[in-house]
Amino acid sequence: MRSLWKLTLVEAKLFLREPEAAFFTLAFPLVMLAIFGSIYGNEPTPFFGGRGTVDVSTPAYMAMIIGTTGLLSVAIHVANYRERKILRRYRATPLHPTVILASQVAVNFIMTLLGALLLVVAAKLIYNLRFEGNALSLLAGFILSTLSFLSVGFLLASLAPTARAANIIGMVVFYPNLFLSGATLPKQMFPEALRWVNRALPLSYVVDLLQGLWFGEPWGQHLTEVAVLLGMLLVGVAVSAKTFRWE
């Protein structure tokens, strides 16, 4: 446990020293909040069922953070470690392989959670964000969503031959999810022709789950989202375990 804690602390410092990863996880959601919050404010509107734009957008931006971490940060970082032979050196140490991989999961989960907390605090202080759900229920949904996308990130890192390939694959997967899942633009604004695309994107299930729990909806209304995310988690872990390469 001590070795896991120390390695996680080292990886957290390295994460914060990477300006791109730190920006898109911690700062970019705040930029989105400032832009759209200053344009639309957070007054209740019938368009969002009596809720404000920030009330609807905040859990969606949390989904955006999850997607960024899973599809970009993890995939690129792990593939880069393998290409630079850092993973091989790690494996040559007395550290157990599970400790090395667990530290990657831990640091990325912590940074994802930190990004979400910064977003919520800023939205509450500046735009009087309203929360209608149960905090523990929302946290459970957040954990499920984050672990599901982290497993996909490890899957991409396992399949990509190089860090450059992981970067390209991650972006190809990430950007349609970013713009068409409802994570940036509310899906209520989508024309009917894009609705079927929305349902085909895995990040849309995170958006729907987190928004539903944020508004106090029971888990029973989101069994489809839970099933999809659990399926992603199980498949991602199973395939990564078989295809993960240390060098």
Side-chain angles (χ1 to χ4, degrees):
M1 193 66 183
R2 184 179 178 184
S3 58
L4 174 60
W5 165 249
K6 286 187 175 181
L7 186 56
T8 300
L9 184 60
V10 170
E11 290 293 339
K13 292 178 180 179
L14 293 174
F15 183 96
L16 294 174
R17 289 175 183 173
E18 296 180 6
E20 183 177 350
F23 173 78
F24 280 101
T25 303
L26 304 177
F28 184 67
L30 298 177
V31 173
M32 294 289 294
L33 176 69
I35 292 173
F36 288 99
S38 62
I39 295 173
Y40 298 108
N42 196 32
E43 293 300 319
T45 171
F47 186 72
F48 292 127
R51 300 181 177 96
T53 301
V54 174
D55 298 331
V56 173
S57 297
T58 297
Y61 293 162
M62 292 168 63
M64 176 179 65
I65 298 171
I66 291 172
T68 302
T69 304
L71 299 178
L72 292 181
S73 295
V74 170
I76 297 171
H77 186 72
V78 174
N80 185 48
Y81 265 25
R82 183 175 61 239
E83 186 173 352
R84 293 166 57 191
K85 304 188 185 308
I86 295 175
L87 288 180
R88 187 175 69 175
R89 296 191 191 101
Y90 267 152
R91 202 179 186 190
T93 68
L95 290 172
H96 194 276
T98 56
V99 172
I100 299 171
L101 298 178
S103 68
Q104 295 293 328
V105 173
V107 71
N108 281 282
F109 177 81
I110 291 170
M111 292 302 168
T112 304
L113 182 60
L114 178 59
L117 290 175
L118 290 173
L119 175 67
V120 170
V121 170
K124 180 63 178 178
L125 293 176
I126 301 173
Y127 299 106
N128 192 28
L129 174 69
R130 290 172 284 269
F131 176 62
E132 305 169 29
N134 178 277
L136 291 178
S137 182
L138 178 67
L139 179 60
F142 183 87
I143 292 173
L144 170 62
S145 301
T146 304
L147 292 180
S148 296
F149 269 79
L150 288 179
S151 72
V152 174
F154 275 102
L155 175 59
L156 295 179
S158 300
L159 298 177
T162 64
R164 181 181 177 84
N167 192 3
I168 294 173
I169 295 171
M171 288 186 176
V172 168
V173 176
F174 174 68
Y175 282 109
N177 277 275
L178 177 65
F179 293 112
L180 300 177
S181 67
T184 49
L185 299 174
K187 62 182 179 180
Q188 291 89 339
M189 301 173 62
F190 290 174
E192 192 62 35
L194 289 180
R195 296 295 175 90
W196 68 271
V197 178
N198 174 266
R199 298 308 299 170
L201 297 172
L203 194 60
S204 67
Y205 295 92
V206 178
V207 174
D208 291 346
L209 178 61
L210 295 185
Q211 284 182 333
L213 296 176
W214 187 275
F215 301 144
E217 297 173 359
W219 281 82
Q221 289 185 220
H222 297 279
L223 295 180
T224 299
E225 288 83 359
V226 172
V228 169
L229 293 173
L230 278 176
M232 288 172 54
L233 176 59
L234 295 175
V235 171
V237 170
V239 178
S240 296
K242 289 185 175 297
T243 60
F244 188 82
R245 293 172 290 114
W246 292 87
E247 55 183 296

mmCIF file with all atom_site columns, all heavy atoms in Angstrom, residues 66-86:
data_model
loop_
_atom_site.group_PDB
_atom_site.id
_atom_site.type_symbol
_atom_site.label_atom_id
_atom_site.label_alt_id
_atom_site.label_comp_id
_atom_site.label_asym_id
_atom_site.label_entity_id
_atom_site.label_seq_id
_atom_site.pdbx_PDB_ins_code
_atom_site.Cartn_x
_atom_site.Cartn_y
_atom_site.Cartn_z
_atom_site.occupancy
_atom_site.B_iso_or_equiv
_atom_site.pdbx_formal_charge
_atom_site.auth_seq_id
_atom_site.auth_comp_id
_atom_site.auth_asym_id
_atom_site.auth_atom_id
_atom_site.pdbx_PDB_model_num
ATOM 1   N N   . ILE A 1 66 ? -14.478 13.374 -17.825 1.00 0.00 ? 66 ILE A N   1
ATOM 2   C CA  . ILE A 1 66 ? -14.294 11.920 -17.816 1.00 0.00 ? 66 ILE A CA  1
ATOM 3   C C   . ILE A 1 66 ? -13.827 11.429 -19.186 1.00 0.00 ? 66 ILE A C   1
ATOM 4   O O   . ILE A 1 66 ? -12.905 10.616 -19.300 1.00 0.00 ? 66 ILE A O   1
ATOM 5   C CB  . ILE A 1 66 ? -15.601 11.223 -17.401 1.00 0.00 ? 66 ILE A CB  1
ATOM 6   C CG1 . ILE A 1 66 ? -15.899 11.504 -15.929 1.00 0.00 ? 66 ILE A CG1 1
ATOM 7   C CG2 . ILE A 1 66 ? -15.527 9.719  -17.661 1.00 0.00 ? 66 ILE A CG2 1
ATOM 8   C CD1 . ILE A 1 66 ? -17.266 11.028 -15.469 1.00 0.00 ? 66 ILE A CD1 1
ATOM 9   N N   . GLY A 1 67 ? -14.465 11.928 -20.243 1.00 0.00 ? 67 GLY A N   1
ATOM 10  C CA  . GLY A 1 67 ? -14.074 11.531 -21.591 1.00 0.00 ? 67 GLY A CA  1
ATOM 11  C C   . GLY A 1 67 ? -12.667 11.962 -21.931 1.00 0.00 ? 67 GLY A C   1
ATOM 12  O O   . GLY A 1 67 ? -11.901 11.210 -22.556 1.00 0.00 ? 67 GLY A O   1
ATOM 13  N N   . THR A 1 68 ? -12.289 13.159 -21.518 1.00 0.00 ? 68 THR A N   1
ATOM 14  C CA  . THR A 1 68 ? -10.943 13.663 -21.782 1.00 0.00 ? 68 THR A CA  1
ATOM 15  C C   . THR A 1 68 ? -9.887  12.791 -21.116 1.00 0.00 ? 68 THR A C   1
ATOM 16  O O   . THR A 1 68 ? -8.879  12.416 -21.731 1.00 0.00 ? 68 THR A O   1
ATOM 17  C CB  . THR A 1 68 ? -10.804 15.111 -21.287 1.00 0.00 ? 68 THR A CB  1
ATOM 18  O OG1 . THR A 1 68 ? -11.786 15.932 -21.926 1.00 0.00 ? 68 THR A OG1 1
ATOM 19  C CG2 . THR A 1 68 ? -9.426  15.663 -21.579 1.00 0.00 ? 68 THR A CG2 1
ATOM 20  N N   . THR A 1 69 ? -10.125 12.457 -19.862 1.00 0.00 ? 69 THR A N   1
ATOM 21  C CA  . THR A 1 69 ? -9.157  11.647 -19.127 1.00 0.00 ? 69 THR A CA  1
ATOM 22  C C   . THR A 1 69 ? -9.024  10.250 -19.721 1.00 0.00 ? 69 THR A C   1
ATOM 23  O O   . THR A 1 69 ? -7.918  9.755  -19.940 1.00 0.00 ? 69 THR A O   1
ATOM 24  C CB  . THR A 1 69 ? -9.563  11.543 -17.649 1.00 0.00 ? 69 THR A CB  1
ATOM 25  O OG1 . THR A 1 69 ? -9.706  12.854 -17.093 1.00 0.00 ? 69 THR A OG1 1
ATOM 26  C CG2 . THR A 1 69 ? -8.527  10.773 -16.856 1.00 0.00 ? 69 THR A CG2 1
ATOM 27  N N   . GLY A 1 70 ? -10.169 9.622  -19.993 1.00 0.00 ? 70 GLY A N   1
ATOM 28  C CA  . GLY A 1 70 ? -10.125 8.254  -20.477 1.00 0.00 ? 70 GLY A CA  1
ATOM 29  C C   . GLY A 1 70 ? -9.614  8.108  -21.895 1.00 0.00 ? 70 GLY A C   1
ATOM 30  O O   . GLY A 1 70 ? -8.745  7.273  -22.172 1.00 0.00 ? 70 GLY A O   1
ATOM 31  N N   . LEU A 1 71 ? -10.142 8.916  -22.804 1.00 0.00 ? 71 LEU A N   1
ATOM 32  C CA  . LEU A 1 71 ? -9.837  8.728  -24.222 1.00 0.00 ? 71 LEU A CA  1
ATOM 33  C C   . LEU A 1 71 ? -8.545  9.396  -24.658 1.00 0.00 ? 71 LEU A C   1
ATOM 34  O O   . LEU A 1 71 ? -7.973  9.019  -25.681 1.00 0.00 ? 71 LEU A O   1
ATOM 35  C CB  . LEU A 1 71 ? -10.995 9.255  -25.072 1.00 0.00 ? 71 LEU A CB  1
ATOM 36  C CG  . LEU A 1 71 ? -12.339 8.558  -24.833 1.00 0.00 ? 71 LEU A CG  1
ATOM 37  C CD1 . LEU A 1 71 ? -13.428 9.189  -25.690 1.00 0.00 ? 71 LEU A CD1 1
ATOM 38  C CD2 . LEU A 1 71 ? -12.241 7.070  -25.105 1.00 0.00 ? 71 LEU A CD2 1
ATOM 39  N N   . LEU A 1 72 ? -8.079  10.401 -23.911 1.00 0.00 ? 72 LEU A N   1
ATOM 40  C CA  . LEU A 1 72 ? -6.857  11.097 -24.296 1.00 0.00 ? 72 LEU A CA  1
ATOM 41  C C   . LEU A 1 72 ? -5.731  10.895 -23.279 1.00 0.00 ? 72 LEU A C   1
ATOM 42  O O   . LEU A 1 72 ? -4.687  10.332 -23.602 1.00 0.00 ? 72 LEU A O   1
ATOM 43  C CB  . LEU A 1 72 ? -7.134  12.586 -24.492 1.00 0.00 ? 72 LEU A CB  1
ATOM 44  C CG  . LEU A 1 72 ? -8.028  12.969 -25.679 1.00 0.00 ? 72 LEU A CG  1
ATOM 45  C CD1 . LEU A 1 72 ? -8.191  14.477 -25.756 1.00 0.00 ? 72 LEU A CD1 1
ATOM 46  C CD2 . LEU A 1 72 ? -7.464  12.435 -26.990 1.00 0.00 ? 72 LEU A CD2 1
ATOM 47  N N   . SER A 1 73 ? -5.930  11.352 -22.069 1.00 0.00 ? 73 SER A N   1
ATOM 48  C CA  . SER A 1 73 ? -4.836  11.354 -21.086 1.00 0.00 ? 73 SER A CA  1
ATOM 49  C C   . SER A 1 73 ? -4.269  9.959  -20.842 1.00 0.00 ? 73 SER A C   1
ATOM 50  O O   . SER A 1 73 ? -3.056  9.736  -20.960 1.00 0.00 ? 73 SER A O   1
ATOM 51  C CB  . SER A 1 73 ? -5.322  11.964 -19.767 1.00 0.00 ? 73 SER A CB  1
ATOM 52  O OG  . SER A 1 73 ? -5.655  13.316 -19.934 1.00 0.00 ? 73 SER A OG  1
ATOM 53  N N   . VAL A 1 74 ? -5.131  9.012  -20.494 1.00 0.00 ? 74 VAL A N   1
ATOM 54  C CA  . VAL A 1 74 ? -4.650  7.669  -20.167 1.00 0.00 ? 74 VAL A CA  1
ATOM 55  C C   . VAL A 1 74 ? -4.038  6.992  -21.386 1.00 0.00 ? 74 VAL A C   1
ATOM 56  O O   . VAL A 1 74 ? -2.932  6.442  -21.331 1.00 0.00 ? 74 VAL A O   1
ATOM 57  C CB  . VAL A 1 74 ? -5.797  6.806  -19.595 1.00 0.00 ? 74 VAL A CB  1
ATOM 58  C CG1 . VAL A 1 74 ? -5.363  5.349  -19.482 1.00 0.00 ? 74 VAL A CG1 1
ATOM 59  C CG2 . VAL A 1 74 ? -6.214  7.323  -18.243 1.00 0.00 ? 74 VAL A CG2 1
ATOM 60  N N   . ALA A 1 75 ? -4.771  7.035  -22.495 1.00 0.00 ? 75 ALA A N   1
ATOM 61  C CA  . ALA A 1 75 ? -4.299  6.342  -23.697 1.00 0.00 ? 75 ALA A CA  1
ATOM 62  C C   . ALA A 1 75 ? -2.935  6.861  -24.147 1.00 0.00 ? 75 ALA A C   1
ATOM 63  O O   . ALA A 1 75 ? -2.015  6.077  -24.424 1.00 0.00 ? 75 ALA A O   1
ATOM 64  C CB  . ALA A 1 75 ? -5.329  6.503  -24.813 1.00 0.00 ? 75 ALA A CB  1
ATOM 65  N N   . ILE A 1 76 ? -2.778  8.172  -24.216 1.00 0.00 ? 76 ILE A N   1
ATOM 66  C CA  . ILE A 1 76 ? -1.528  8.752  -24.690 1.00 0.00 ? 76 ILE A CA  1
ATOM 67  C C   . ILE A 1 76 ? -0.403  8.549  -23.674 1.00 0.00 ? 76 ILE A C   1
ATOM 68  O O   . ILE A 1 76 ? 0.726   8.202  -24.032 1.00 0.00 ? 76 ILE A O   1
ATOM 69  C CB  . ILE A 1 76 ? -1.725  10.250 -24.992 1.00 0.00 ? 76 ILE A CB  1
ATOM 70  C CG1 . ILE A 1 76 ? -2.742  10.434 -26.129 1.00 0.00 ? 76 ILE A CG1 1
ATOM 71  C CG2 . ILE A 1 76 ? -0.397  10.904 -25.355 1.00 0.00 ? 76 ILE A CG2 1
ATOM 72  C CD1 . ILE A 1 76 ? -3.159  11.869 -26.354 1.00 0.00 ? 76 ILE A CD1 1
ATOM 73  N N   . HIS A 1 77 ? -0.719  8.749  -22.402 1.00 0.00 ? 77 HIS A N   1
ATOM 74  C CA  . HIS A 1 77 ? 0.305   8.666  -21.355 1.00 0.00 ? 77 HIS A CA  1
ATOM 75  C C   . HIS A 1 77 ? 0.882   7.253  -21.255 1.00 0.00 ? 77 HIS A C   1
ATOM 76  O O   . HIS A 1 77 ? 2.108   7.074  -21.224 1.00 0.00 ? 77 HIS A O   1
ATOM 77  C CB  . HIS A 1 77 ? -0.307  9.089  -20.020 1.00 0.00 ? 77 HIS A CB  1
ATOM 78  C CG  . HIS A 1 77 ? 0.679   9.170  -18.895 1.00 0.00 ? 77 HIS A CG  1
ATOM 79  N ND1 . HIS A 1 77 ? 1.622   10.170 -18.800 1.00 0.00 ? 77 HIS A ND1 1
ATOM 80  C CD2 . HIS A 1 77 ? 0.882   8.359  -17.823 1.00 0.00 ? 77 HIS A CD2 1
ATOM 81  C CE1 . HIS A 1 77 ? 2.364   9.985  -17.714 1.00 0.00 ? 77 HIS A CE1 1
ATOM 82  N NE2 . HIS A 1 77 ? 1.929   8.897  -17.113 1.00 0.00 ? 77 HIS A NE2 1
ATOM 83  N N   . VAL A 1 78 ? 0.021   6.258  -21.204 1.00 0.00 ? 78 VAL A N   1
ATOM 84  C CA  . VAL A 1 78 ? 0.495   4.876  -21.062 1.00 0.00 ? 78 VAL A CA  1
ATOM 85  C C   . VAL A 1 78 ? 1.248   4.430  -22.317 1.00 0.00 ? 78 VAL A C   1
ATOM 86  O O   . VAL A 1 78 ? 2.298   3.780  -22.226 1.00 0.00 ? 78 VAL A O   1
ATOM 87  C CB  . VAL A 1 78 ? -0.692  3.934  -20.774 1.00 0.00 ? 78 VAL A CB  1
ATOM 88  C CG1 . VAL A 1 78 ? -0.232  2.481  -20.777 1.00 0.00 ? 78 VAL A CG1 1
ATOM 89  C CG2 . VAL A 1 78 ? -1.329  4.282  -19.425 1.00 0.00 ? 78 VAL A CG2 1
ATOM 90  N N   . ALA A 1 79 ? 0.728   4.786  -23.493 1.00 0.00 ? 79 ALA A N   1
ATOM 91  C CA  . ALA A 1 79 ? 1.428   4.430  -24.735 1.00 0.00 ? 79 ALA A CA  1
ATOM 92  C C   . ALA A 1 79 ? 2.794   5.117  -24.802 1.00 0.00 ? 79 ALA A C   1
ATOM 93  O O   . ALA A 1 79 ? 3.779   4.523  -25.275 1.00 0.00 ? 79 ALA A O   1
ATOM 94  C CB  . ALA A 1 79 ? 0.582   4.815  -25.936 1.00 0.00 ? 79 ALA A CB  1
ATOM 95  N N   . ASN A 1 80 ? 2.856   6.352  -24.329 1.00 0.00 ? 80 ASN A N   1
ATOM 96  C CA  . ASN A 1 80 ? 4.126   7.074  -24.311 1.00 0.00 ? 80 ASN A CA  1
ATOM 97  C C   . ASN A 1 80 ? 5.116   6.430  -23.347 1.00 0.00 ? 80 ASN A C   1
ATOM 98  O O   . ASN A 1 80 ? 6.315   6.305  -23.655 1.00 0.00 ? 80 ASN A O   1
ATOM 99  C CB  . ASN A 1 80 ? 3.871   8.524  -23.910 1.00 0.00 ? 80 ASN A CB  1
ATOM 100 C CG  . ASN A 1 80 ? 5.139   9.370  -23.983 1.00 0.00 ? 80 ASN A CG  1
ATOM 101 O OD1 . ASN A 1 80 ? 5.867   9.334  -24.969 1.00 0.00 ? 80 ASN A OD1 1
ATOM 102 N ND2 . ASN A 1 80 ? 5.400   10.137 -22.938 1.00 0.00 ? 80 ASN A ND2 1
ATOM 103 N N   . TYR A 1 81 ? 4.632   5.993  -22.189 1.00 0.00 ? 81 TYR A N   1
ATOM 104 C CA  . TYR A 1 81 ? 5.483   5.291  -21.228 1.00 0.00 ? 81 TYR A CA  1
ATOM 105 C C   . TYR A 1 81 ? 6.042   4.005  -21.836 1.00 0.00 ? 81 TYR A C   1
ATOM 106 O O   . TYR A 1 81 ? 7.206   3.655  -21.622 1.00 0.00 ? 81 TYR A O   1
ATOM 107 C CB  . TYR A 1 81 ? 4.677   4.955  -19.972 1.00 0.00 ? 81 TYR A CB  1
ATOM 108 C CG  . TYR A 1 81 ? 4.817   5.968  -18.853 1.00 0.00 ? 81 TYR A CG  1
ATOM 109 C CD1 . TYR A 1 81 ? 5.157   7.281  -19.122 1.00 0.00 ? 81 TYR A CD1 1
ATOM 110 C CD2 . TYR A 1 81 ? 4.610   5.606  -17.531 1.00 0.00 ? 81 TYR A CD2 1
ATOM 111 C CE1 . TYR A 1 81 ? 5.291   8.215  -18.110 1.00 0.00 ? 81 TYR A CE1 1
ATOM 112 C CE2 . TYR A 1 81 ? 4.732   6.525  -16.506 1.00 0.00 ? 81 TYR A CE2 1
ATOM 113 C CZ  . TYR A 1 81 ? 5.071   7.828  -16.794 1.00 0.00 ? 81 TYR A CZ  1
ATOM 114 O OH  . TYR A 1 81 ? 5.193   8.744  -15.790 1.00 0.00 ? 81 TYR A OH  1
ATOM 115 N N   . ARG A 1 82 ? 5.211   3.281  -22.577 1.00 0.00 ? 82 ARG A N   1
ATOM 116 C CA  . ARG A 1 82 ? 5.679   2.042  -23.185 1.00 0.00 ? 82 ARG A CA  1
ATOM 117 C C   . ARG A 1 82 ? 6.724   2.328  -24.269 1.00 0.00 ? 82 ARG A C   1
ATOM 118 O O   . ARG A 1 82 ? 7.755   1.649  -24.351 1.00 0.00 ? 82 ARG A O   1
ATOM 119 C CB  . ARG A 1 82 ? 4.502   1.267  -23.774 1.00 0.00 ? 82 ARG A CB  1
ATOM 120 C CG  . ARG A 1 82 ? 4.935   -0.090 -24.357 1.00 0.00 ? 82 ARG A CG  1
ATOM 121 C CD  . ARG A 1 82 ? 3.759   -0.921 -24.831 1.00 0.00 ? 82 ARG A CD  1
ATOM 122 N NE  . ARG A 1 82 ? 3.044   -0.241 -25.877 1.00 0.00 ? 82 ARG A NE  1
ATOM 123 C CZ  . ARG A 1 82 ? 1.747   0.087  -25.814 1.00 0.00 ? 82 ARG A CZ  1
ATOM 124 N NH1 . ARG A 1 82 ? 1.039   -0.207 -24.740 1.00 0.00 ? 82 ARG A NH1 1
ATOM 125 N NH2 . ARG A 1 82 ? 1.162   0.706  -26.818 1.00 0.00 ? 82 ARG A NH2 1
ATOM 126 N N   . GLU A 1 83 ? 6.462   3.344  -25.091 1.00 0.00 ? 83 GLU A N   1
ATOM 127 C CA  . GLU A 1 83 ? 7.380   3.660  -26.184 1.00 0.00 ? 83 GLU A CA  1
ATOM 128 C C   . GLU A 1 83 ? 8.729   4.142  -25.654 1.00 0.00 ? 83 GLU A C   1
ATOM 129 O O   . GLU A 1 83 ? 9.781   3.824  -26.240 1.00 0.00 ? 83 GLU A O   1
ATOM 130 C CB  . GLU A 1 83 ? 6.757   4.726  -27.086 1.00 0.00 ? 83 GLU A CB  1
ATOM 131 C CG  . GLU A 1 83 ? 7.562   5.021  -28.331 1.00 0.00 ? 83 GLU A CG  1
ATOM 132 C CD  . GLU A 1 83 ? 6.832   5.955  -29.286 1.00 0.00 ? 83 GLU A CD  1
ATOM 133 O OE1 . GLU A 1 83 ? 5.646   6.253  -29.041 1.00 0.00 ? 83 GLU A OE1 1
ATOM 134 O OE2 . GLU A 1 83 ? 7.445   6.385  -30.274 1.00 0.00 ? 83 GLU A OE2 1
ATOM 135 N N   . ARG A 1 84 ? 8.718   4.861  -24.545 1.00 0.00 ? 84 ARG A N   1
ATOM 136 C CA  . ARG A 1 84 ? 9.969   5.360  -23.957 1.00 0.00 ? 84 ARG A CA  1
ATOM 137 C C   . ARG A 1 84 ? 10.613  4.342  -23.021 1.00 0.00 ? 84 ARG A C   1
ATOM 138 O O   . ARG A 1 84 ? 11.583  4.634  -22.341 1.00 0.00 ? 84 ARG A O   1
ATOM 139 C CB  . ARG A 1 84 ? 9.694   6.661  -23.205 1.00 0.00 ? 84 ARG A CB  1
ATOM 140 C CG  . ARG A 1 84 ? 9.289   7.810  -24.119 1.00 0.00 ? 84 ARG A CG  1
ATOM 141 C CD  . ARG A 1 84 ? 8.710   8.963  -23.327 1.00 0.00 ? 84 ARG A CD  1
ATOM 142 N NE  . ARG A 1 84 ? 9.634   9.453  -22.315 1.00 0.00 ? 84 ARG A NE  1
ATOM 143 C CZ  . ARG A 1 84 ? 9.281   10.316 -21.343 1.00 0.00 ? 84 ARG A CZ  1
ATOM 144 N NH1 . ARG A 1 84 ? 8.019   10.747 -21.272 1.00 0.00 ? 84 ARG A NH1 1
ATOM 145 N NH2 . ARG A 1 84 ? 10.171  10.722 -20.470 1.00 0.00 ? 84 ARG A NH2 1
ATOM 146 N N   . LYS A 1 85 ? 10.034  3.145  -22.969 1.00 0.00 ? 85 LYS A N   1
ATOM 147 C CA  . LYS A 1 85 ? 10.531  2.015  -22.183 1.00 0.00 ? 85 LYS A CA  1
ATOM 148 C C   . LYS A 1 85 ? 10.468  2.270  -20.675 1.00 0.00 ? 85 LYS A C   1
ATOM 149 O O   . LYS A 1 85 ? 11.186  1.620  -19.897 1.00 0.00 ? 85 LYS A O   1
ATOM 150 C CB  . LYS A 1 85 ? 11.955  1.645  -22.613 1.00 0.00 ? 85 LYS A CB  1
ATOM 151 C CG  . LYS A 1 85 ? 12.089  1.344  -24.102 1.00 0.00 ? 85 LYS A CG  1
ATOM 152 C CD  . LYS A 1 85 ? 13.441  0.807  -24.455 1.00 0.00 ? 85 LYS A CD  1
ATOM 153 C CE  . LYS A 1 85 ? 13.594  0.633  -25.970 1.00 0.00 ? 85 LYS A CE  1
ATOM 154 N NZ  . LYS A 1 85 ? 12.511  -0.138 -26.583 1.00 0.00 ? 85 LYS A NZ  1
ATOM 155 N N   . ILE A 1 86 ? 9.633   3.207  -20.273 1.00 0.00 ? 86 ILE A N   1
ATOM 156 C CA  . ILE A 1 86 ? 9.459   3.471  -18.839 1.00 0.00 ? 86 ILE A CA  1
ATOM 157 C C   . ILE A 1 86 ? 8.706   2.318  -18.187 1.00 0.00 ? 86 ILE A C   1
ATOM 158 O O   . ILE A 1 86 ? 9.038   1.909  -17.057 1.00 0.00 ? 86 ILE A O   1
ATOM 159 C CB  . ILE A 1 86 ? 8.720   4.800  -18.622 1.00 0.00 ? 86 ILE A CB  1
ATOM 160 C CG1 . ILE A 1 86 ? 9.577   5.966  -19.118 1.00 0.00 ? 86 ILE A CG1 1
ATOM 161 C CG2 . ILE A 1 86 ? 8.360   4.994  -17.158 1.00 0.00 ? 86 ILE A CG2 1
ATOM 162 C CD1 . ILE A 1 86 ? 8.890   7.315  -19.066 1.00 0.00 ? 86 ILE A CD1 1
#
